[in-house]
Amino acid sequence: MIARSNEAKALGIGMGQPFYQIRPLVDRGQVTVFSANFALYGDLSRRVMATLRSLVPGIEVYSIDEAFFDLRGMAEPLDELGRTIGRTIRRNVGIPVSIGIAPTKTLAKIASKLAKQYPRLNGCCYMHREEDITKVLRKFPLQEVWGIGRRHGRMFDRMGLRTAQQFVELPQEWVRARMGVTGLRTWSELQGAECISFEHMPPRKQQITISRSFPHEIYTLEELDRIVAEFASMCAEKLRGEGSVCCEVQSYLLTNRHREDQPQRYETSLQLLPESTNSTLEIVRQARIALRQVFQPGYGYKKAGVILSQITPATGMQRSLFAGDSHEKQARLMKVLDTVNKSYGKGKVVVAAQGTEPFRMNREHLSPRYTTSWDELLVVKA
């Protein structure tokens, strides 16, 4: 399970729990399951962000379902403004949101979680008074604080520290020595000192990843080769969309960890490129080389992925002295490739390594693309 409603959580369904373990609940009609629908999610996200931009001075899109917005200079009461924003998004897009308002990003994240947990807040938690913040931090689980990762979480467990307030009460020197600048930033933000700046322009991605789980275990290199080539091609397209290039390509394979009757394996291989690029041809080639370095016969692979890293802007890229004019040719070719696929649909022109059949996820429970497909529009009968 990737995401769960409150009702699903109440039934004891865990995050990441395999579908087959909850199938009896589905068969009894206690749970409804939906497969991932990226077209629908992406469109709804764009609509939510567009509504936010029309209501607040500045917005920082943090992920597909999360954003920070800047309310400095806005008139009080801010909690009522937050509820108005929530009602507007519900009216315009049709989905509920939880809004947290606080002096820092870290505190706003906590406030947003409280708005989701407590219905009486009507979708918005305004947490700004010092006494209220301290009261919340005394009960808020330290492991759920934004910026407290698994490694530090285990360290705090061993120390017997359970709440955010216990973390805040640690000496500054101790936090800096054990957690570095990043941990000290979280520590300061919990005390109301703004240390994580508001980004009006989204920062350039440090990594681009495409990965999928397969409907069934795959045992052959030939089948995996086509899938990895497709993932690498998708990564390259995203990279060009960012106006960036990369010089590291990584492929990985993962077996089914839920199959205790089968041997387990997780392997990854990293390829360093001689020159930074965003060419689909080169990135696919390097990803396939990496795949051959990690593939082992006899294993049933359940998941594969491609990761691009060491990403830098395409403008001002350092060129090799012996590169010749191949870069300009590749750039023109990629421009034509993107133009054709944008005009006539994704995947109309692909590299030969991908084959003619695109990878298809297991989507037995796919919901309609209500907002992006004319054939799947919601039908209302009166």
Side-chain angles (χ1 to χ4, degrees):
M1 296 296 108
I2 297 174
R4 303 155 297 156
S5 66
N6 290 332
E7 294 81 3
K9 294 176 185 177
L11 289 172
I13 299 175
M15 177 63 74
Q17 187 171 356
F19 173 70
Y20 74 87
Q21 293 182 358
I22 68 158
R23 185 178 287 277
L25 296 175
V26 177
D27 294 339
R28 292 196 298 267
Q30 293 179 263
V31 173
T32 301
V33 175
F34 297 96
S35 302
N37 190 331
F38 299 116
L40 178 62
Y41 304 158
D43 184 62
L44 290 178
S45 175
R46 286 188 291 272
R47 294 175 184 228
V48 169
M49 302 310 170
T51 301
L52 276 175
R53 289 189 180 95
S54 70
L55 298 171
V56 297
I59 173 176
E60 175 189 340
V61 179
Y62 183 66
S63 66
I64 191 172
D65 64 347
E66 192 170 8
F68 294 103
F69 46 89
D70 190 357
L71 297 182
R72 281 174 288 201
M74 301 292 285
E76 296 278 358
L78 293 182
D79 53 345
E80 186 53 42
L81 172 62
R83 294 186 184 96
T84 299
I85 292 172
R87 287 193 297 268
T88 305
I89 292 174
R90 184 68 178 262
R91 184 189 67 226
N92 290 1
V93 187
I95 61 175
V97 295
S98 301
I99 296 175
I101 302 175
T104 69
K105 282 185 174 180
T106 305
L107 288 174
K109 292 267 287 185
I110 292 176
S112 178
K113 289 188 176 184
L114 296 180
K116 185 180 297 184
Q117 292 173 4
Y118 298 103
R120 59 183 176 81
L121 293 174
N122 294 323
C124 178
C125 176
Y126 183 25
M127 195 170 69
H128 62 106
R129 293 181 300 189
E130 185 176 345
E131 59 270 25
D132 293 336
I133 293 174
T134 302
K135 183 179 178 180
V136 168
L137 297 185
R138 282 176 183 156
K139 296 182 179 180
F140 197 83
L142 181 54
Q143 297 269 13
E144 295 183 19
V145 172
W146 185 45
I148 302 296
R150 292 182 180 178
R151 181 170 64 88
H152 289 130
R154 290 193 294 268
M155 177 183 70
F156 290 130
D157 271 345
R158 292 192 297 268
M159 296 172 59
L161 299 182
R162 301 286 186 267
T163 70
Q165 185 61 30
Q166 289 176 312
F167 173 60
V168 167
E169 292 171 355
L170 291 172
Q172 179 177 349
E173 296 75 15
W174 187 96
V175 175
R176 181 188 293 274
R178 296 292 186 93
M179 303 179 68
V181 175
T182 302
L184 188 60
R185 192 179 295 139
T186 300
W187 180 83
S188 299
E189 286 244 329
L190 289 173
Q191 298 179 66
E194 184 181 2
C195 298
I196 305 176
S197 60
F198 186 86
E199 301 285 349
H200 288 274
M201 292 296 292
R204 192 177 299 273
K205 286 185 173 67
Q206 300 302 305
Q207 282 190 340
I208 291 176
T209 303
I210 297 292
S211 63
R212 300 285 188 273
S213 294
F214 312 139
H216 53 80
E217 286 84 358
I218 296 177
Y219 291 86
T220 66
L221 177 61
E222 181 183 10
E223 191 172 359
L224 287 169
D225 191 48
R226 292 197 302 269
I227 293 171
V228 166
E230 182 175 348
F231 292 175
S233 179
M234 294 165 68
C235 283
E237 184 179 357
K238 284 178 174 282
L239 188 67
R240 292 192 295 274
E242 290 261 318
S244 301
V245 293
C246 75
C247 63
E248 290 183 354
V249 179
Q250 181 178 354
S251 295
Y252 70 86
L253 292 173
L254 181 67
T255 54
N256 189 348
R257 61 186 176 90
H258 300 293
R259 290 289 301 273
E260 297 180 357
D261 60 319
Q262 293 188 353
Q264 298 297 309
R265 184 177 178 85
Y266 170 73
E267 293 292 343
T268 181
S269 177
L270 179 69
Q271 294 294 111
L272 299 177
L273 279 61
E275 184 177 76
S276 295
T277 185
N278 57 21
S279 168
T280 294
L281 301 181
E282 180 62 16
I283 290 172
V284 167
R285 187 175 77 86
Q286 296 293 342
R288 296 174 70 203
I289 292 173
L291 170 67
R292 281 159 173 74
Q293 293 176 349
V294 298
F295 174 80
Q296 289 292 330
Y299 289 89
Y301 293 103
K302 185 64 174 175
K303 186 175 183 178
V306 174
I307 304 172
L308 307 185
S309 51
Q310 290 296 315
I311 294 175
T312 56
T315 55
M317 180 183 70
Q318 184 69 35
R319 298 288 310 284
S320 169
L321 182 63
F322 308 102
D325 62 351
S326 62
H327 175 75
E328 284 75 15
K329 290 182 179 178
Q330 289 280 345
R332 292 196 298 272
L333 179 60
M334 292 302 105
K335 185 176 181 179
V336 172
L337 177 69
D338 292 339
T339 300
V340 171
N341 286 333
K342 185 176 181 180
S343 300
Y344 296 98
K346 285 184 177 293
K348 293 299 181 183
V349 178
V350 300
V351 296
Q354 294 179 229
T356 57
E357 287 294 325
F359 169 74
R360 300 189 185 281
M361 295 187 296
N362 187 5
R363 290 181 165 184
E364 297 177 0
H365 306 279
L366 187 64
S367 56
R369 296 167 296 174
Y370 295 113
T371 63
T372 61
S373 172
W374 287 107
D375 296 330
E376 299 176 25
L377 287 176
L378 189 64
V379 177
V380 178
K381 295 182 180 180

